Amino acid sequence: MNRRVMFKFRLYVAGDAPNSVQALANLTALCRAHLPDRHEIEVVDVLREPKRALADGIVMTPTLVKLAPSPVRRIVGTLGQTQAVLQALGLEPSGGRE
């Protein structure tokens, strides 16, 4: 297993709405814990860039898109359920329950 794979995330938020702030905090904590030094997070504020969000097919915030590695995955919500988020992103920790 290649431990140096870079994970690229794009988080779509709506300004400083509570759910958006929570999602960014949860994503940052998750990356620090599970992907130290091998993640990039791009934050797109749909209030500032509505056309981009529309072009990317984003209809709800917060929405997290895992761009790399493949496959691309999307998760909507505050990302508060760490285990479910790890599973959805294909990051199930080794030794975790099936």
Side-chain angles (χ1 to χ4, degrees):
M1 174 168 34
N2 183 354
R3 310 252 340 136
R4 297 308 311 158
V5 172
M6 279 300 287
F7 283 78
K8 296 188 182 194
F9 299 102
R10 185 175 295 144
L11 181 64
Y12 294 86
V13 298
D16 57 1
N19 283 352
S20 295
V21 171
Q22 189 65 54
L24 181 57
N26 289 337
L27 178 61
T28 302
L30 184 142
C31 286
R32 279 195 193 129
H34 298 278
L35 300 169
D37 302 323
R38 53 192 195 107
H39 66 275
E40 294 173 13
I41 300 171
E42 176 188 5
V43 178
V44 177
D45 185 343
V46 300
L47 301 179
R48 291 194 182 131
E49 301 183 71
K51 288 181 178 161
R52 180 171 177 192
L54 203 58
D56 292 347
I58 302 302
V59 294
M60 294 177 65
T61 60
T63 295
L64 174 66
V65 180
K66 179 185 73 136
L67 301 168
S70 293
V72 171
R73 298 211 171 137
R74 287 183 180 210
I75 302 175
V76 176
T78 62
L79 313 175
Q81 296 179 320
T82 305
Q83 203 59 42
V85 173
L86 288 172
Q87 210 166 6
L89 295 175
L91 292 173
E92 192 64 19
S94 53
R97 283 180 265 148
E98 296 282 348

